[in-house]
Amino acid sequence: IFVVPNLNVIYQEVYLVKWDHTNCIPDQKEKFDPKKNETTKEFEKTAIFDVGAPTSEPALSFYSRNHIKAVTVPALKDTIVAMKTTIARVSAEEVICCFGGVGSCLGEDVALKKCDKADESHETKRMVTLENAYNGWGEFLRKEEKALADAISTSTTITNWFDNSALDQVISDHENIPSSKDKADVKISDTHTKK
């Protein structure tokens, strides 16, 4: 079982309604809409989140090895493939980037602009994060599989454990050779091994 911290906190975008007491009207910000080619007034927006909200309660998720191998790693791989396509489109300076923001806005209902180097840098950083996650899980799973294979290999058997036949194997590692004192400390007495 793997314990994975949840970094997803649900947030909401809300309007900040401020009142201009002098003119008795709401205080609104001017915003240029390139789709309509006009300036409009709207309330200022901000994002709010509540870490203690019921939707944000679980701080940790518990995943099985199978879930990581069958769901998480393939999803990361698919996301990397999609991100490569996005980076290619951003590098080609297509009109898919956020107006007033940085990076691709594919799938969002916002004003778009022609992508530039800042957008490309932003998307490249996101790609590096995805690749690090994919490679990190892959490395961990490979190490775990090797450790499991090593644990069940014939070189680490515990056959005849109580007759001291594996004594050298038990108290030594790859770098150290057990001393006679080590062997004496670990040796099982003959009274325990007689049938």
Side-chain angles (χ1 to χ4, degrees):
I1 299 291
F2 297 95
V3 179
V4 180
N6 290 335
L7 302 178
N8 302 357
V9 176
I10 295 179
Y11 69 93
Q12 291 181 309
E13 189 173 66
V14 297
Y15 293 105
L16 298 176
V17 180
K18 297 179 184 176
W19 192 256
D20 180 350
H21 294 285
T22 308
N23 298 319
C24 291
I25 59 171
D27 186 19
Q28 295 179 311
K29 302 291 181 191
E30 289 189 358
K31 180 180 175 184
F32 179 73
D33 186 347
K35 287 182 181 177
K36 296 178 182 175
N37 198 24
E38 66 183 16
T39 301
T40 59
K41 287 189 172 189
E42 65 178 39
F43 291 109
E44 188 177 347
K45 295 179 196 174
T46 189
I48 62 167
F49 57 92
D50 180 6
V51 177
T55 54
S56 302
E57 277 184 18
L60 302 171
S61 293
F62 298 89
Y63 294 117
S64 67
R65 179 182 303 105
N66 185 52
H67 179 85
I68 298 297
K69 286 175 142 180
V71 177
T72 304
V73 172
L76 282 169
K77 189 174 185 177
D78 291 345
T79 306
I80 289 169
V81 169
M83 183 60 84
K84 286 180 181 178
T85 302
T86 300
I87 289 174
R89 292 182 69 185
V90 170
S91 297
E93 298 182 352
E94 289 187 26
V95 180
I96 62 168
C97 290
C98 302
F99 184 81
V102 180
S104 165
C105 288
L106 289 172
E108 297 179 33
D109 186 25
V110 295
L112 300 175
K113 68 173 177 81
K114 184 178 177 181
C115 299
D116 58 24
K117 293 294 180 192
D119 298 310
E120 184 178 359
S121 174
H122 176 76
E123 295 299 331
T124 301
K125 287 177 186 173
R126 292 177 63 198
M127 174 68 138
V128 167
T129 301
L130 286 169
E131 287 175 333
N132 287 343
Y134 178 79
N135 293 335
W137 277 118
E139 181 181 347
F140 178 81
L141 291 170
R142 282 188 298 279
K143 284 181 180 179
E144 184 194 36
E145 287 171 5
K146 183 182 180 324
L148 181 61
D150 289 348
I152 60 175
S153 72
T154 56
S155 66
T156 55
T157 63
I158 57 170
T159 308
N160 301 319
W161 181 269
F162 291 106
D163 68 1
N164 295 313
S165 64
L167 182 60
D168 289 343
Q169 177 183 338
V170 173
I171 61 173
S172 65
D173 59 28
H174 298 294
E175 298 171 7
N176 297 318
I177 299 171
S179 68
S180 57
K181 183 173 178 350
D182 292 333
K183 289 182 182 181
D185 288 343
V186 176
K187 183 173 167 107
I188 298 168
S189 74
D190 291 335
T191 58
H192 292 117
T193 57
K194 292 182 181 174
K195 295 182 182 177

